[in-house]
């Protein structure tokens, strides 16, 4: 999938998940991340998607252990007294998964959603996984997460002209499930909104380098457009 976008400074990876079955955290992404982060030594981690239970310090240590395998140090944004100043100092960024409502609420409550966007648009390398990928879309309204908190706004960074549905699941043959499918839920979203939605399957990710956005991971994505038939996307060229 190849899309032309206006800004030529963006360096972004948006992954459906951080961890594949029977693999270590970030394992499948590490070869790509070694190249992606090659010009930086310290990555600023944004741990705000994890609600309760797992502390921001614990989450940051978990990320640090994984990224040490490619020779990178990690500092948690939560460790800065002024998170906006922490963003200004960041060489590179990573927002991990968890609950998108919690992440978006925290970013809005801290007043740093726009600062984070500006930093990324300015060329700072950004990795998002799961919830961290959802916030790169136009808004967070196609997340699968439960609304356990209420953010001030559903608006996110709008780094790409889509919403993302991370962890996209196709119906499983033979499973007698009478509830709504993921496709049904996204079509319900399109009853009220025109924003295209990309369903990213596990193991797939978007890479934005300059004006080129490429679907990677060897899997097709699901493209949902309002009023149109759902498409399996392996290649797409578009000027925006």
């Amino acid at each position: 999938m190849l899309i032309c976008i206006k800004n030529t400074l963006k360096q972004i990876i948006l992954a459906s998940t951080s961890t594949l079955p029977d693999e270590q955290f970030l394992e499948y992404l590490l070869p790509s991340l070694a190249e992606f982060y090659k010009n930086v030594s310290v990555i600023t981690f944004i741990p705000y998607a994890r609600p309760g239970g797992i502390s921001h310090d614990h989450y940051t240590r978990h990320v640090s252990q994984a990224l040490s395998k490619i020779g990178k140090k990690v500092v948690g944004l939560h460790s800065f007294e002024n998170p906006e100043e922490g963003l200004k100092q960041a060489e590179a960024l990573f927002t991990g998964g968890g609950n998108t409502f919690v992440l978006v609420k925290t970013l809005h409550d801290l007043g740093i959603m726009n600062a984070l966007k500006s930093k990324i648009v300015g060329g700072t390398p950004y990795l998002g996984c799961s919830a961290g990928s959802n916030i790169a879309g136009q808004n967070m309204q196609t997340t699968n997460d439960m609304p356990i908190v209420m953010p001030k706004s559903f608006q996110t960074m709008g780094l790409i002209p889509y919403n993302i549905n991370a962890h996209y699941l196709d119906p499983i043959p033979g499973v007698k499930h009478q509830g709504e499918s993921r496709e049904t839920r996204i079509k319900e979203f399109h009853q009220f909104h025109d924003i295209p939605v990309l369903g990213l399957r596990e193991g797939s990710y978007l890479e934005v380098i300059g004006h080129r956005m490429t679907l990677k991971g060897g899997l097709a994505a699901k493209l949902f457009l309002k009023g149109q038939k759902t498409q399996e996307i392996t290649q797409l060229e578009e000027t925006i």
Side-chain angles (χ1 to χ4, degrees):
M1 172 183 173
L2 176 64
I3 299 175
C4 296
I5 58 178
K6 289 180 179 179
N7 189 282
T8 59
L9 297 177
K10 294 177 185 175
Q11 301 177 74
I12 303 169
I13 288 179
L14 305 174
S16 176
T17 187
S18 60
T19 312
L20 292 179
D22 301 318
E23 288 192 8
Q24 297 295 312
F25 181 72
L26 293 178
E27 182 179 343
Y28 80 105
L29 285 170
L30 286 179
S32 297
L33 295 181
E35 174 66 20
F36 184 67
Y37 286 137
K38 67 181 180 181
N39 294 322
V40 304
S41 58
V42 180
I43 297 164
T44 299
F45 178 60
I46 301 172
Y48 301 138
R50 288 290 176 94
I54 299 177
S55 73
H56 293 158
D57 285 339
H58 182 277
Y59 197 6
T60 302
R61 286 195 296 272
H62 186 54
V63 170
S64 181
Q65 289 171 0
L67 292 177
S68 68
K69 297 174 184 176
I70 58 170
K72 305 303 174 185
K73 294 182 179 179
V74 174
V75 59
L77 185 61
H78 69 288
S79 66
F80 289 85
E81 184 175 346
N82 182 338
E84 189 165 359
E85 182 61 31
L87 288 177
K88 288 179 182 178
Q89 295 180 22
E91 294 180 67
L93 296 158
F94 171 28
T95 303
N99 185 285
T100 308
F101 286 88
V102 173
L103 174 60
V104 172
K105 175 176 170 53
T106 305
L107 292 175
H108 281 305
D109 287 353
L110 292 173
I112 58 172
M113 182 72 80
N114 289 333
L116 178 59
K117 176 180 179 177
S118 295
K119 185 73 172 177
I120 298 166
V121 169
T124 301
Y126 175 82
L127 166 66
C129 289
S130 189
S133 295
N134 289 341
I135 62 171
Q138 296 294 303
N139 61 50
M140 59 156 288
Q141 289 173 260
T142 52
T143 179
N144 308 310
D145 297 319
M146 290 186 178
I148 59 177
V149 295
M150 186 63 187
K152 293 178 181 178
S153 170
F154 292 142
Q155 198 69 27
T156 49
M157 293 188 287
L159 297 171
I160 60 173
Y162 299 98
N163 270 8
I164 288 177
N165 179 256
H167 312 292
Y168 182 81
L169 288 175
D170 297 290
I172 302 172
V175 174
K176 296 179 180 179
H177 172 64
Q178 299 301 314
E180 298 89 346
S181 67
R182 197 67 58 79
E183 183 169 351
T184 300
R185 291 278 173 84
I186 294 171
K187 287 183 176 180
E188 290 173 347
F189 168 81
H190 278 147
Q191 293 295 313
F192 300 93
H193 306 277
D194 297 332
I195 301 167
V197 180
L198 277 173
L200 292 180
R201 295 181 171 95
E202 302 295 69
S204 62
Y205 60 98
L206 300 174
E207 182 184 73
V208 180
I209 302 296
H211 64 283
R212 301 167 71 89
M213 184 165 84
T214 308
L215 176 66
K216 294 195 170 184
L219 300 170
K222 282 276 194 177
L223 175 61
F224 299 87
L225 300 171
K226 183 172 183 174
Q228 298 184 33
K229 185 177 179 181
T230 305
Q231 302 173 43
E232 288 277 344
I233 297 297
T234 55
Q235 282 193 327
L236 175 66
E237 293 188 11
E238 182 178 350
T239 301
I240 306 169

